[in-house]
Amino acid sequence: MRDFLYCLIFPNASNNHRAKFLHFRVLSVVIAFLIVGSFFFSSDFNPFASRLKAIADISTQELLMFTNEKRAENGLPVLVRDEQLEEAANMKADDMFAKNYWAHNSPDGTTPWVFIKAAGYEYIYAGENLARGFSDSKDVVNAWMASPEHKKNLLSENFRDVGFAVKTGRLNGEDTFLVVQEFGNKTAVPVAVNTDVEGREEGKVLALNLDQVTPRPANSMSFNFIIILILGLIAVFFADMLVIRRKNIMRFVGHNADHIIFLMAILILISVLSSGYVL
Amino acid sequence: MTKKDYHFGYYFFLITILVVGVLLIIRLSPEKNLQMLSLVGLSIIYALVGIIHHLLNHDLVGKIVVEYILVALLGIAAAFFIFRGGFGI
């Protein structure tokens, strides 16, 4: 076993002075596994397609709890769950999946306020936060808090009510979790003292945000698996390079340093691809 | 130009291409389809740059071409695996 591992990682006479892990056959098997696995485990082919729902730890109850936790930390009164805003959030999420868009306004120009009014909530103040691709309620709220505009909504003294929707579906060809948070207040009086509402129009949007915050990597087993695989490969390329340089062996192979730099770039890009977003 | 300068120039060029590519792909966020396509493009460019470098260095053999292609494919396959949802967990 020790010999096998040594042969797998370090170049020596038994593996033709090239770490076995870097042999074409082994690399081809890894590539084939990843490509075949991509299709086999996807929801199109996987009989356990509902796994997305099962592995997510996002609930409207938790979202409300973490939202109110942040408000309490900032000395603000807690938001009250409102059924009409919840209905509006669900309508918004359904509309996004049906029309396949990721924005506050739909491609046909429907604003979030249309859904809030359609649910029967006659607001004076309203706001909306969106998130997708997260797998944990706390991560969603933390991502909103990390974005100034979303934070403004979350900690606004002008909102009294809140409604959430957490839905799974396909957006831009990708299975994803969508989180919609609708804020509202039916009264013109802000819920906290020392408020400054000057310059804000009644019955209009408050801090509707179109900026995107820095993506955060999703915490999943697949992501960890790929990270470990690539880091392992980088380590083997590095070990191979050092041993060959030390032994001064001549071989016709590519530059390991090139592959290490390229794989590091891929690591960064995979973190971006597996991230969640807020809007 | 010394061989050391030549290698320094090559690595500077390679790192610049990869950094610019990574930044461009990040800017395409959240258009994941476009990001994946750009990643494929960047991997192809990586393989081509590596192969051309060896060609200019007069040490290009078939094995090296296959190696660059396999490493580029590995990058694409790893990203594709994540893009498709991985194991689903």
Side-chain angles (χ1 to χ4, degrees):
Chain A
M1 183 68 181
R2 216 177 120 187
D3 288 345
F4 172 75
L5 281 176
Y6 187 81
C7 186
L8 198 69
I9 299 168
F10 298 102
N12 55 63
S14 71
N15 55 25
N16 203 19
H17 297 290
R18 183 70 158 163
K20 194 86 181 163
F21 194 42
L22 306 179
H23 282 203
F24 293 168
R25 202 171 291 174
V26 178
L27 286 178
S28 304
V29 168
V30 173
I31 292 166
F33 170 77
L34 291 175
I35 293 174
V36 172
S38 304
F39 288 100
F40 180 77
F41 294 113
S42 84
S43 57
D44 299 343
F45 297 90
N46 191 347
F48 307 105
S50 62
R51 72 203 188 286
L52 200 60
K53 189 75 186 169
I55 54 107
D57 195 16
I58 301 178
S59 72
T60 54
Q61 194 58 45
E62 276 186 346
L63 287 166
L64 177 68
M65 186 181 84
F66 291 129
T67 298
N68 280 334
E69 212 174 270
K70 297 292 178 195
R71 288 178 68 88
E73 281 170 14
N74 287 276
L76 291 161
V78 295
L79 296 172
V80 178
R81 199 170 186 162
D82 185 274
E83 276 183 23
Q84 287 170 326
L85 285 180
E86 206 116 296
E87 195 187 329
N90 276 296
M91 282 195 283
K92 171 67 188 248
D94 289 339
D95 192 62
M96 286 173 81
F97 282 127
K99 294 176 186 164
N100 196 31
Y101 68 94
W102 167 241
H104 287 292
N105 296 335
S106 76
D108 57 21
T110 309
T111 63
W113 330 124
V114 171
F115 300 107
I116 295 177
K117 284 200 166 170
Y121 191 95
E122 289 301 326
Y123 64 85
I124 299 296
Y125 298 105
E128 180 182 81
N129 280 349
L130 302 175
R132 71 185 261 212
F134 291 90
S135 56
D136 185 85
S137 306
K138 200 166 195 166
D139 285 349
V140 174
V141 176
N142 285 340
W144 281 333
M145 284 299 286
S147 154
E149 291 302 314
H150 295 89
K151 187 178 175 181
K152 210 185 281 177
N153 268 347
L154 223 77
L155 301 182
S156 172
E157 64 273 11
N158 292 306
F159 298 136
R160 187 187 294 267
D161 305 317
V162 70
F164 296 94
V166 180
K167 297 230 166 187
T168 55
R170 216 165 168 80
L171 207 60
N172 299 325
E174 181 196 355
D175 286 331
T176 191
F177 284 102
L178 197 58
V179 180
V180 180
Q181 183 181 40
E182 304 287 12
F183 300 93
N185 190 350
K186 289 175 180 173
T187 66
V189 184
V191 292
V193 289
N194 299 328
T195 56
D196 171 24
V197 292
E198 210 176 85
R200 294 176 182 177
E201 287 179 80
E202 287 189 352
K204 290 272 178 73
V205 44
L206 265 182
L208 174 66
N209 173 62
L210 288 165
D211 290 336
Q212 198 175 302
V213 297
T214 312
R216 297 158 57 86
N219 182 21
S220 71
M221 191 180 149
S222 309
F223 178 74
N224 293 338
F225 167 74
I226 290 294
I227 295 297
I228 290 167
L229 176 75
I230 294 180
L231 284 177
L233 208 56
I234 288 174
V236 175
F237 270 123
F238 195 68
D240 184 83
M241 185 170 72
L242 286 185
V243 172
I244 289 300
R245 191 166 289 181
R246 209 178 58 184
K247 290 184 179 172
N248 209 14
I249 293 169
M250 278 292 293
R251 357 168 254 196
F252 279 103
V253 292
H255 294 150
N256 282 7
D258 294 14
H259 303 327
I260 292 170
I261 295 167
F262 173 70
L263 290 173
M264 282 165 76
I266 291 293
L267 265 186
I268 296 169
L269 289 175
I270 282 174
S271 299
V272 175
L273 277 170
S274 63
S275 61
Y277 302 96
V278 298
L279 194 70
Chain B
M1 187 193 278
T2 64
K3 194 162 185 174
K4 201 174 170 185
D5 289 339
Y6 174 69
H7 279 294
F8 176 79
Y10 165 67
Y11 279 108
F12 182 77
F13 181 64
L14 180 69
I15 291 170
T16 305
I17 284 177
L18 290 175
V19 168
V20 170
V22 166
L23 291 177
L24 282 176
I25 292 170
I26 290 172
R27 269 198 78 84
L28 288 172
S29 164
E31 292 298 327
K32 298 221 170 183
N33 288 325
L34 216 55
Q35 281 182 311
M36 189 62 218
L37 271 176
S38 309
L39 189 144
V40 171
L42 189 67
S43 302
I44 292 170
I45 290 171
Y46 162 73
L48 285 176
V49 167
I51 291 166
I52 290 169
H53 169 67
H54 281 280
L55 186 69
L56 295 175
N57 213 26
H58 306 293
D59 62 353
L60 185 68
V61 291
K63 261 180 80 174
I64 292 178
V65 174
V66 176
E67 185 178 314
Y68 275 95
I69 291 172
L70 280 178
V71 173
L73 270 178
L74 189 89
I76 295 170
F80 190 65
F81 185 75
I82 290 293
F83 177 72
R84 295 276 302 179
F87 298 120
I89 48 176

